Amino acid sequence: MPYPGLPADSHVHSQWSWDALAGSMEATCERAVRLGLPALAFTEHADFTPWVLGPGERLPDAWLPLVREGVLTPPELDLDGYRACLTRCRERFPRLTILSGVELSEPHHHAGRSSRLLRSGRFERVLASVHSLPVGGGFTEVSALYGERPASAVVRDYLAETLRLIEGFDDFEVLAHLDYPARSWPGQAFAAAAFEEEFREVLRALARAGKALEVNTRVPLGPEVLRWWREEGGRAVTFASDAHEPERLAHGFGVAAAMAESAGFRPGAHAWDFWLA
C-alpha cells in the first residue's frame, strides 16, 4: 500500500555543508519529528568547482577565508564528522528514517574526485547539480552571470551545461533543482515556457539515463516542467526543500505533492521511495 502523509525531504543540508551557516542536523531532525515528516536525506555539498567572484560580489564574513585572489574555493566535505553526526541523530531519533546523501556539483568536470567520494561515502541518496558555468578559464556561480550576459542566455547556457552533466556523468540518482537560474532571475517572474525546447531536451536525456527529477520547493518548480517530464518519458520524482536551516525543512511540500499527483506520480511503498508514474 502507498505510504500516507508527507513525502520524504530528499535534499537537506546541515552544518556539514560549507554554505549552510545556520545548519544543524540535530535541530533539523527535531523539526522533522514535530512536522510528522517520515524521512529525510542529508545531502551535503561536495563542491569541487572554485568560483571566480563577480565584480563587487559580497559574501558572508564566514566565507571570506575561502577566497584568494578573487576565487572562492569550497572546502572538502568532512566525511568522518558527517558520518559521526548522522549516527548520533539516528540513535536519538529512531523512528525517523535518516538517509545519508551528497549533492555533487558539476561532477562531469570532476569525475575522478566525485567517484572517489562516492566509494568512500557509500551514500544512500546521490544528487547531481549545476551551480556554476564556465567563464574564460574558470567558473562563475550562475546568479553572478546575470550582470554579464542577457538573462535568457544565462538560462540557456545553464540548461546546456546540465545536459552535459547528464551525458558526461552517470553515478547519480536524482537531478537537483533543474530550474536553479529562476532563483536569481532578474525582473518579472521566471517563465519556464520561454525555454520549453531546452528544458525538454534536458528532460529527454534525463529520462533516457533512468534518473529521477527533483521537485525543489525553494523556488517552486513550475507544473509545466513536471508535465514535460512525464511527456518526455520521466518516471520518477523526489521532493526537496533544499533547506540550509531547520526552519525550511519540507517547505511547500503539500502543494508540491498535490502537483506531482496531478501529473500522475504516486508514492511508493515506503516514505523514502521515489514517487513513480
Side-chain angles (χ1 to χ4, degrees), residues 36-118:
L37 192 72
L40 74 167
F42 286 104
T43 53
E44 311 296 357
H45 280 295
D47 295 339
F48 301 127
T49 305
W51 293 347
V52 177
L53 300 178
E57 187 172 349
R58 302 184 67 180
L59 301 175
D61 290 345
W63 295 2
L64 297 181
L66 305 175
V67 178
R68 184 173 182 178
E69 297 181 353
V71 177
L72 186 154
T73 301
E76 291 188 4
L77 173 62
D78 178 357
L79 192 55
D80 290 339
Y82 167 75
R83 283 170 168 165
C85 190
L86 197 71
T87 297
R88 291 194 299 272
C89 285
R90 285 170 169 168
E91 291 173 350
R92 182 178 172 191
F93 305 96
R95 295 185 180 181
L96 177 65
T97 299
I98 306 172
L99 303 182
S100 65
V102 68
E103 180 183 3
L104 301 170
S105 295
E106 298 88 42
H108 55 307
H109 290 297
H110 311 280
R113 295 179 69 185
S114 297
S115 296
R116 286 191 293 273
L117 177 62
L118 294 180

Side-chain angles (χ1 to χ4, degrees), residues 104-153:
L104 301 170
S105 295
E106 298 88 42
H108 55 307
H109 290 297
H110 311 280
R113 295 179 69 185
S114 297
S115 296
R116 286 191 293 273
L117 177 62
L118 294 180
R119 286 195 298 271
S120 298
R122 301 185 299 278
F123 301 103
E124 295 165 299
R125 187 60 45 92
V126 179
L127 316 180
S129 60
V130 172
H131 295 104
S132 60
L133 296 176
V135 176
F139 287 78
T140 297
E141 199 273 331
V142 170
S143 63
L145 291 172
Y146 280 122
E148 301 178 10
R149 305 178 187 177
S152 59

Side-chain angles (χ1 to χ4, degrees), residues 8 141 161 182 229 271:
E141 199 273 331
E161 188 66 29
W229 174 231

Side-chain angles (χ1 to χ4, degrees), residues 8-277:
D9 194 334
S10 292
H11 183 166
V12 181
H13 298 281
S14 74
Q15 71 269 30
W16 302 103
S17 287
W18 66 273
D19 65 337
L21 301 181
S24 168
M25 188 180 289
E26 187 171 4
T28 300
C29 291
E30 290 174 348
R31 180 162 177 77
V33 171
R34 290 197 301 272
L35 292 173
L37 192 72
L40 74 167
F42 286 104
T43 53
E44 311 296 357
H45 280 295
D47 295 339
F48 301 127
T49 305
W51 293 347
V52 177
L53 300 178
E57 187 172 349
R58 302 184 67 180
L59 301 175
D61 290 345
W63 295 2
L64 297 181
L66 305 175
V67 178
R68 184 173 182 178
E69 297 181 353
V71 177
L72 186 154
T73 301
E76 291 188 4
L77 173 62
D78 178 357
L79 192 55
D80 290 339
Y82 167 75
R83 283 170 168 165
C85 190
L86 197 71
T87 297
R88 291 194 299 272
C89 285
R90 285 170 169 168
E91 291 173 350
R92 182 178 172 191
F93 305 96
R95 295 185 180 181
L96 177 65
T97 299
I98 306 172
L99 303 182
S100 65
V102 68
E103 180 183 3
L104 301 170
S105 295
E106 298 88 42
H108 55 307
H109 290 297
H110 311 280
R113 295 179 69 185
S114 297
S115 296
R116 286 191 293 273
L117 177 62
L118 294 180
R119 286 195 298 271
S120 298
R122 301 185 299 278
F123 301 103
E124 295 165 299
R125 187 60 45 92
V126 179
L127 316 180
S129 60
V130 172
H131 295 104
S132 60
L133 296 176
V135 176
F139 287 78
T140 297
E141 199 273 331
V142 170
S143 63
L145 291 172
Y146 280 122
E148 301 178 10
R149 305 178 187 177
S152 59
V154 172
V155 176
R156 290 190 170 93
D157 289 345
Y158 180 87
L159 293 172
E161 188 66 29
T162 302
L163 182 61
R164 285 190 284 271
L165 184 161
I166 296 165
E167 294 176 343
F169 187 83
D170 189 56
D171 289 339
F172 72 98
E173 301 169 285
V174 182
L175 180 67
H177 52 60
L178 176 59
D179 57 346
Y180 184 76
R183 296 183 181 182
S184 46
W185 177 257
Q188 297 179 346
F190 178 78
F195 309 96
E196 179 177 351
E197 181 179 348
E198 291 86 352
F199 270 108
R200 283 184 178 274
E201 185 176 14
V202 172
L203 294 170
R204 279 195 298 273
L206 192 67
R208 286 196 301 268
K211 310 301 183 184
L213 178 70
E214 179 182 275
V215 180
N216 193 296
T217 62
R218 187 161 173 179
V219 172
L221 183 74
E224 68 273 29
V225 178
L226 206 51
R227 175 170 54 82
W228 299 336
W229 174 231
R230 280 294 313 275
E231 292 172 354
E232 297 298 341
R235 292 294 176 261
V237 298
T238 65
F239 298 87
S241 67
D242 205 348
H244 283 61
E245 58 278 328
E247 293 73 19
R248 299 293 294 178
L249 182 71
H251 176 75
F253 269 33
V255 172
M259 182 178 69
E261 287 184 329
S262 295
F265 293 93
R266 297 292 182 267
H270 305 99
W272 56 88
D273 290 338
F274 293 168
W275 281 34
L276 302 176

